[in-house]
Amino acid sequence: MIRFDNVTKRYAGGQDALAELSFAVDAGEIVFVTGHSGAGKTTLLKLVSLVERPTRGYVTVNHRELARVRRRGIPLHRRDIGMVFQDHRLLTDRSVFDNVALPLLIAGTARAEIGKRVRAALDKVGLLAREKASPAALSTGEQQRAGIARAIVGKPPLIIADEPTGNLDPQLSLEIMNLFAEFGAVGTTVLIASHDLLLLKRMQRRVLVLDHGRLVDDYRPPVKAA
């Protein structure tokens, strides 16, 4: 689903945010990316979503070599990616339903189908009863769940999340991570950037560790005996 081949990203001023980064993520895999502040976690996600492009090397997502994607093809590429952010990025002048429906409206989905998909996504994250509420009326945890519902409503094959539990307490953080695990169980690939090492230890999933833009560890939990 995702492949980085000797990827380097250098910003103006000569600083390498990522350096000679190579790894692969299989379809349906749940993988965490961790490291110190400035290690390159967010830059990695930006390359996957074509917010940024590498200085050198190649990024492939869902069998698509991103160097071949021209500017006009970027929106189509992003339709295959559900993106979850730490700050939710919900529109406060629209209801929860309308926020979740936004990707479908942009994609030109039929209205009858929009209603079905939005309510299914809200039900999945436990917010069906809050569809008419304003985002401002939701708790922080509910706002993050609404953001996740918006990310999954288009049934993308890939979800990427940048510090999705950064503003949540430990119990809510675990609940959100378990939601992501459920998506992986049905074949969705999930890539999550997080600095919460205790939470990552509890999840027992593969972890890519970055240090100053370089991959220094690719931890895979031991396979449990049947």
Side-chain angles (χ1 to χ4, degrees):
M1 176 57 73
I2 301 172
R3 187 177 185 88
F4 275 52
D5 290 306
N6 295 311
V7 171
T8 294
K9 175 61 181 178
R10 177 169 295 173
Y11 287 109
Q15 177 187 359
D16 285 346
L18 296 173
E20 300 176 4
L21 187 62
S22 295
F23 68 90
V25 175
D26 292 335
E29 194 173 4
I30 300 175
V31 179
F32 291 97
V33 183
T34 194
H36 59 83
S37 178
K41 303 185 295 294
T42 297
T43 298
L44 188 157
L45 297 184
K46 286 181 176 180
L47 293 179
V48 170
S49 58
L50 274 177
V51 174
E52 301 277 4
R53 292 184 183 267
T55 306
R56 294 190 304 276
Y58 297 94
V59 179
T60 304
V61 177
N62 201 14
H63 308 293
R64 181 185 296 127
E65 188 179 303
L66 299 193
R68 299 178 181 271
V69 178
R70 300 301 176 220
R71 190 178 187 88
R72 64 179 178 273
I74 293 176
L76 186 62
H77 168 68
R78 290 179 183 161
R79 285 185 193 177
D80 287 338
I81 303 174
M83 291 185 272
V84 181
F85 308 95
Q86 179 177 342
D87 56 359
H88 323 303
R89 301 192 185 181
L90 300 174
L91 301 175
T92 56
D93 61 340
R94 303 191 186 194
S95 68
V96 169
F97 181 99
D98 289 340
N99 269 277
V100 175
L102 194 57
L104 299 179
L105 287 170
I106 292 171
T109 306
R111 286 201 169 272
E113 183 68 15
I114 288 175
K116 292 177 184 177
R117 287 205 187 184
V118 169
R119 290 186 176 94
L122 287 172
D123 190 34
K124 181 71 175 176
V125 302
L127 285 180
L128 187 56
R130 305 285 274 159
E131 67 172 77
K132 296 180 180 179
S134 163
L138 302 182
S139 68
T140 303
E142 288 174 331
Q143 288 175 356
Q144 189 59 289
R145 287 174 180 271
I148 293 171
R150 183 181 56 195
I152 66 171
V153 73
K155 300 180 180 178
L158 170 63
I159 295 174
I160 62 175
D162 193 3
E163 299 286 359
T165 61
N167 295 325
L168 305 179
D169 63 43
Q171 183 57 43
L172 280 175
S173 295
L174 184 59
E175 290 178 9
I176 293 298
M177 288 303 188
N178 284 332
L179 263 180
F180 286 121
E182 290 180 21
F183 304 142
V186 295
T188 304
T189 308
V190 183
L191 185 64
I192 303 173
S194 176
H195 68 277
D196 191 336
L197 297 180
L198 182 60
L199 182 60
L200 301 193
K201 184 177 180 180
R202 293 182 69 179
M203 293 303 296
Q204 282 296 294
R205 301 282 182 170
R206 181 182 174 196
V207 181
L208 303 175
V209 183
L210 300 181
D211 185 2
H212 295 91
R214 295 184 180 275
L215 182 63
V216 295
D217 195 10
D218 184 348
Y219 169 79
R220 298 169 190 256
V223 178
K224 295 180 180 179

